[in-house]
Amino acid sequence: MTQAAEGLPRRPFTIADVERMVEIGVIGRDERFELIGGEIVPMSPKGIRHERLKQWLATWLYTNLTPDYQVIPETTFRLSDDTYLQPDFIVYGKDTDLADLRGDTCLLAIEIADSSLAYDLGHKPAIYAGFGVREMWVIDVRSLQTHVHRDPTPTGYRTVFQRSPEDRLTALAIPGHVLMLAGYA
């Protein structure tokens, strides 16, 4: 990565541009990045702590959510022609087709953060909120604290608070489903 052109105009990419670059081999199929406002943003590699918590959380989500909800892990969450993110989990209603998944049809986005904690708490909530994602959780893999973001506005979330592993977590749009990270061993 270079920052030599800082302050100069950049050529924005679209999702179609990125898909084509992967197709012809300019970008490797296994490279991890997100596209934010037309800029390719590399993602941190996932460590074992991240993967263990993700595995535990996947089991909990698939076991405990009722058939009213669908869960997809690590999807390319297309928010516009020039922006996609790759959250650890997206929860959405059973009546929403995956092809129609957008910010306003996403009930909950979950990011598990280890080395990416500052980024996941800094810039990412504004992106999710700007596209109308109702609720976003950032789970700190080290402390198991969950940073809950609710009430999206075009510039960020109005309501942000933290929950400890012993606290009961319930997404507003997914009532009756309580997660406690204290159960993670």
Side-chain angles (χ1 to χ4, degrees), residues 8 25 52 67 74 85-86 94-96 137 146 157 176:
L8 296 176
R52 284 181 177 147
E74 297 182 336
L85 301 176
Q86 294 189 341
K94 71 174 182 177
D95 296 332
T96 300
W137 293 354
T146 302
Y157 286 96

Side-chain angles (χ1 to χ4, degrees), residues 1 10-22 26-27 33-41 80-84:
M1 294 301 296
R10 305 230 199 287
R11 178 199 188 279
F13 295 104
T14 65
I15 291 174
D17 293 334
V18 171
E19 288 172 340
R20 180 70 178 134
M21 286 188 277
V22 170
V26 172
I27 297 174
F33 59 89
E34 295 176 323
L35 184 66
I36 301 174
E39 291 193 22
I40 296 172
V41 179
S80 70
D81 287 341
D82 68 353
T83 300
Y84 74 79

Side-chain angles (χ1 to χ4, degrees), residues 73-180:
E74 297 182 336
T75 189
T76 300
F77 187 22
R78 298 169 188 331
L79 296 166
S80 70
D81 287 341
D82 68 353
T83 300
Y84 74 79
L85 301 176
Q86 294 189 341
D88 289 292
F89 296 99
I90 293 285
V91 180
Y92 57 103
K94 71 174 182 177
D95 296 332
T96 300
D97 184 87
L98 185 57
D100 297 325
L101 185 59
R102 300 179 316 275
D104 63 343
T105 58
C106 173
L107 303 177
L108 175 65
I110 301 174
E111 296 278 358
I112 298 171
D114 192 354
S115 60
S116 64
L117 183 62
Y119 179 68
D120 288 343
L121 291 175
H123 190 58
K124 246 185 190 176
I127 297 168
Y128 280 114
F131 285 99
V133 174
R134 300 175 203 196
E135 189 163 345
M136 173 198 184
W137 293 354
V138 178
I139 302 172
D140 180 343
V141 75
R142 294 172 193 248
S143 68
L144 295 182
Q145 283 193 326
T146 302
H147 302 260
V148 178
H149 300 77
R150 292 179 175 160
D151 306 317
T153 72
T155 57
Y157 286 96
R158 254 186 230 109
T159 306
V160 180
F161 56 92
Q162 292 181 22
R163 290 290 183 245
S164 75
E166 295 78 23
D167 290 332
R168 298 164 55 91
L169 288 168
T170 302
L172 291 178
I174 310 170
H177 297 83
V178 178
L179 171 66
M180 292 180 64

